[in-house]
Amino acid sequence: DAGITQSPRHKVTETGTPVTLRCHQTENHRYMYWYRQDPGHGLRLIHYSYGVKDTDKGEVSDGYSVSRSKTEDFLLTLESATSSQTSVYFCAISQQGTETQYFGPGTRLLVL
Amino acid sequence: RKEVEQDPGPFNVPEGATVAFNCTYSNSASQSFFWYRQDCRKEPKLLMSVYSSGNEDGRFTAQLNRASQYISLLIRDSKLSDSATYLCVVNNRTVGGGADGLTFGKGTHLIIQP
């Protein structure tokens, strides 16, 4: 399995609070991604990174920000969590020039 | 919007049977295709890439039909451990496009019954 970890694995928070999810990889892959997965929807891309300090928006980026200060870490921040952000969040990585993505174990977030 | 459509199932199949399901995609310019497997409450894992000539990996065969814009997955001699959700994934990257070109289907739920 690809060396990808996510933390925390589970989190319960209240509406309006900030939340930061962490993705850590040991594969030295250039690309990192954050997705959310909800019932009735496929995986939807929130943000992605193509290098240190290089990030871009995905399909559902509103209400989320990201940062990548090191190759191995990609952080997803919910500035002010809302109940609609209750979801399972997956981090993924891919090598430069390839499209196969490898996923982390996911973080289950519940916003009350 | 670039869509990937799958029959959500569930497909209930007896152990040892052969099962096939399809996925259709809307963007004729799609470049590459994949099947991922996702177990309940787990992350998606790459099952196989899908090549134009079709490809086989053990009991699994993937086919691509560009003219009709669909991808298929065939599982022979199904095992109980094949029970999972199978995600069809299409790369819609445009020329010069970025890394956000993958579009995921919602998945087909497969249940292998003893």
Side-chain angles (χ1 to χ4, degrees):
Chain A
D1 290 343
I4 312 168
T5 57
Q6 293 184 230
S7 58
R9 295 293 314 279
H10 301 85
K11 185 169 182 66
V12 180
T13 191
E14 293 185 347
T15 299
T17 59
V19 176
T20 295
L21 308 182
R22 179 183 184 234
C23 177
H24 178 79
Q25 60 143 332
T26 59
E27 306 296 321
N28 201 35
H29 283 15
R30 178 182 176 187
Y31 291 91
M32 299 185 75
Y33 312 81
W34 277 108
Y35 291 90
R36 60 178 291 173
Q37 187 174 38
D38 305 289
H41 293 88
L43 282 153
R44 292 182 291 174
L45 183 67
I46 304 170
H47 282 278
Y48 67 97
S49 169
Y50 47 96
V52 173
K53 297 189 176 159
D54 292 323
T55 65
D56 206 347
K57 296 179 180 180
E59 177 189 357
V60 290
S61 59
D62 287 349
Y64 302 94
S65 62
V66 290
S67 65
R68 190 165 178 204
S69 58
K70 299 185 290 185
T71 298
E72 57 266 35
D73 290 325
F74 192 32
L75 303 181
L76 176 71
T77 297
L78 290 65
E79 303 290 347
S80 177
T82 67
S83 58
S84 64
Q85 293 176 312
T86 291
S87 187
V88 180
Y89 291 86
F90 288 103
C91 173
I93 65 173
S94 66
Q95 289 180 319
Q96 180 176 355
T98 67
E99 297 140 351
T100 303
Q101 295 186 12
Y102 300 95
F103 286 81
T107 294
R108 295 184 174 274
L109 176 66
L110 173 61
V111 183
L112 299 174
Chain B
R1 177 176 171 80
K2 308 299 189 291
E3 297 289 346
V4 175
E5 301 290 341
Q6 295 183 252
D7 182 341
F11 284 52
N12 289 282
V13 175
E15 188 176 11
T18 295
V19 59
F21 27 83
N22 292 337
C23 158
T24 60
Y25 60 95
S26 61
N27 183 7
S28 60
S30 296
Q31 297 297 311
S32 50
F33 311 87
F34 310 89
W35 284 102
Y36 277 73
R37 169 197 169 124
Q38 186 172 24
D39 294 298
C40 186
R41 301 179 72 85
K42 299 289 188 181
E43 72 272 25
K45 293 187 177 181
L46 178 68
L47 179 64
M48 57 198 306
S49 301
V50 186
Y51 304 119
S52 296
S53 56
N55 49 301
E56 186 174 313
D57 183 2
R59 298 182 293 107
F60 297 83
T61 300
Q63 295 278 351
L64 168 64
N65 185 317
R66 284 191 183 273
S68 301
Q69 295 182 207
Y70 76 82
I71 310 148
S72 64
L73 179 66
L74 179 78
I75 306 174
R76 291 181 298 279
D77 187 24
S78 54
K79 312 292 185 189
L80 295 176
S81 57
D82 293 334
S83 297
T85 297
Y86 291 83
L87 306 177
C88 175
V89 183
V90 174
N91 175 19
N92 291 310
R93 184 177 302 176
T94 56
V95 174
D100 61 339
L102 291 183
T103 300
F104 289 77
K106 297 176 185 178
T108 296
H109 189 198
L110 175 65
I111 301 170
I112 306 299
Q113 297 174 328

